[in-house]
Amino acid sequence: MSDALQTLRQRIDAVDDELLRLLAQRARLAQEVGRLKQGNLFYRPEREAQVLRRIKAANPGPLSDEAVARLFREIMSACLALEQPLRVAYLGPPGTFSQAAAVKHFGHAAQTVDCPSIDDVFRQAEAGMVDYAVVPVENSTEGAIGRTLDLLLDTSLKICGETVVRVHQCLLRREPVREGIERIYSHPQSLAQCHEWLNQHLPGVARVPVSSNAEAARLAAAEPQAAAIAGEMAAEIYGLTLLERNIEDDPNNTTRFLVLGRHDAAPSGQDKTSLVMSAPNRPGAVYELLGPFARHGVSMTKLESRPSGTALWDYVFYVDVEGHREEEPVARSLSELKNLASLLKVLGSYPVAVL
Ligand SMILES: C=C(O[C@@H]1C=C(C(=O)O)C=C[C@H]1O)C(=O)O
């Protein structure tokens, strides 16, 4: 080994020792916070968002803001697990983008619990079997996830966070070659998202829709002539070779997930409020519902309508606005809305996704 290399490695070891000492010091401070809170709501989404935003703003480089935020997410996750490893329900099986979203938001120290349906994810959290739930709410190409919106209407859970995941699809197979593939398994949405790539690179190969990408990977692991389209994480879980990365036709394909808990979050300085409302059935009623936000200068980031499920052609509106429900402009808008809307439910105020 050259002298220069040896010296650099010695210096890296010294920095690692120092990092380790500082990490232990941080963990002990977090434990003290835990004692102050006496197990009461140890996980604070607004504080975690503030920590990550501060780190990104203070980042001197050369690591990217994204990279340092990811590292600090894991540090907080490990500190939090000293108190109690959080249990987080997601739409399984293991290897789905929902699991990736849960890990992105809570870090690897959280315990993720797979559920067979979105309904079950809600039920587990409502019944207190898990601490939090992560559910998909919208996709940039496919639009709203209707089942999640419907379940939000009746749940006792509050939205306490959001996270956005880039959906990168991969071609996975047991055999390490592309030749000889006779079938490709995937979720119908993923097959649709890779339509052009498949036409070009694997024309004439049968596309077989299955219930999830992880299920596709599981099937492909058992059949030498089959391949699967799934996320990268499924390759490791199901022992498959990653033949091709990023085969989705739209490289900006993203899914937004909501984090649900039995509490929402305190103001973090950069928050969103989600609500659902409906208008009495008369001319101009929907227009009036949007008035309070306009008058108080509150920006709307989403407006989605869904059939109410009670009367034919009766709609409910899902609205996201900028700001926290405890902050003046949103608070004032909400109190005016109470008199205008036939239904008004605040689903939660929560920090805008940092990562
Ligand atoms: C330490 C705290 O509690 C938890 C741990 C955090 C951390 O490790 O930085 C941040 C927020 C909480 O989820 C705190 O509230 O400050």
Side-chain angles (χ1 to χ4, degrees), residues 26 29-30 33-34 37 42-45 47-48 51 75-77 79-80:
R26 190 191 195 283
L29 289 169
V33 173
K37 293 181 187 166
F42 184 52
Y43 171 68
R44 301 301 326 186
R47 169 69 182 154
E48 298 208 348
V51 170
I75 292 172
M76 286 194 289
S77 176
C79 288
L80 200 62

Side-chain angles (χ1 to χ4, degrees), residues 31-51:
Q31 274 179 317
E32 266 179 59
V33 173
R35 274 191 285 277
L36 274 184
K37 293 181 187 166
Q38 289 172 336
N40 209 346
L41 280 189
F42 184 52
Y43 171 68
R44 301 301 326 186
E46 70 283 357
R47 169 69 182 154
E48 298 208 348
Q50 286 166 343
V51 170

